[in-house]
Amino acid sequence: MRVCARVPTLPAPTARGRMQPLKGFRDFFPQDLAHLRWIQSAWHSAAKLAGFEEWDGPVLEPLKLFTDKSGDEIAGQLYAFEDKGERPVALRPEMTPTLVRMLSARAGALPKPIKWYSVAQFFRYEQPQHGRGREFFQWNVDVVGSPHPAADAEVIAVAVEALRRLGLSDEDLRVRISDRGALAAFLVALEVPEELHLSVFECIDKLERDPAATRRLTEILGESRAAELLCACDQFPLSRAERLGVVLEACRDWGLGACLEPDLRIVRGLAYYTGTVFEIFARGAKLRAVAGGGRYDRLMSDMGGPPLEAVGFGMGDMVLSLLLAERGLEAPPGMRLEVLVIGTDASMLSPAREVVRELRSRGVASETAYAPVRVSKALRSASNQGVPRVVLVGPDEWAERKVVVRELSSGQQRTVHLSELD
Ligand code: HAM
């Protein structure tokens, strides 16, 4: 796919003369952005509270970074093109390969475990649907350089902490968790050759979404082995998943007991997971996963870096927004205008600006009109905007550098010197 150097033709205006964003992409009006920022601030605070450091990487990466290791599903959803230097590039569909690339170069010098998180925008050419877009924000939390099950449990605890901070309770959430290692051992016991494991994982991952997945599983394994595997999926043989047992214990230490559901059907679509895999769902809602992650102990060395183990997850904003709306949870009101400064006549425009400057320098959110406005109209506008206080700047008081402060709820007012204004 080549990118044209010429200026692209803009989409034709619609009948109403407006242009729409691309399918699967979103406009963020102030209220939408306030909602997104609320979610993101829960992500930031939960990660920081647990000692994770924020990082970021480029939005555009070499195409190969994603085609080599992410697996066929993501590779088929890439926004990929050639840049003007004829280099194959892609908009990032996920963060993990970038994390691995960056750490491959520096990990040796960093104390372990490395605990990093990021909040970034991603692009996947998927069929837009409920909770799924072609652009979305995702929170990534990863621990690199620790093989311990306690690291797996900590990232899950951090994910749940952010959800709790947004007002969701443990009764709202299910953490479905499995271990690809346990599943692989089960397949070995069924004498399924290792080269077939990934295809079996892909089928199991699709069992709940794609009716053809069971047929495909039978084609790969034969009827009796497929039946045995499906039976194990219904009743997780936890006795054969020793490491998962330790992860579950550590999760209980973090107070997650009520949300944990060991489930062999969770394998995850991405190719690089090697051990623990988990997805967080809303209980009782027909929504896709809010978050998903797992352990990827071989990715770093497979990509030419040091042999460092890693575990982490990604949580998207779209399914989460739907879940929050379903539960009636919304962003608390943000910082509003605290004071409207009104010049009582045209000669007071400049003093009103000086008053605003003074207020802003003291951290008070304030504004004044650009042009003369009738006082009655300005008062009406202040009350419509929900501004709690106005400051009236009139020639008589201003002659002594004073102004009138009026509380709109009570109508009480006082005259104060500019230096006493707060
Ligand atoms: P993922 O399962 O592909 O994992 O994505 C994680 C989460 O991102 C999903 O559960 C969903 O909330 C959100 N998400 C994914 N695709 C879309 C989309 N098209 N529209 C809206 N939301 C979406 C990964 O990306 C892994 N790299 C996560 C990870 C980090 N594993 C280890 N560390």
Side-chain angles (χ1 to χ4, degrees), residues 302-320:
D302 282 357
M303 286 177 63
L308 284 176
E309 311 84 354
V311 62
F313 70 85
M315 180 184 292
D317 68 308
M318 293 184 71
V319 175
L320 180 52

Side-chain angles (χ1 to χ4, degrees), residues 20 64 82 103 110 120 133 152 184 192-193 232 236 238 253 273 305-306 311 321 350 360 368 394 400 402 414 418:
Q20 304 293 326
K64 217 171 130 42
E82 274 183 11
L103 281 181
L110 297 170
D152 310 32
V192 178
F236 196 134
L238 266 175
D253 292 340
Y273 294 114
V311 62
S321 286
S350 169
R360 288 182 187 172
T368 190
E400 296 173 36
K402 288 184 176 170
R414 63 206 154 93
L418 186 60

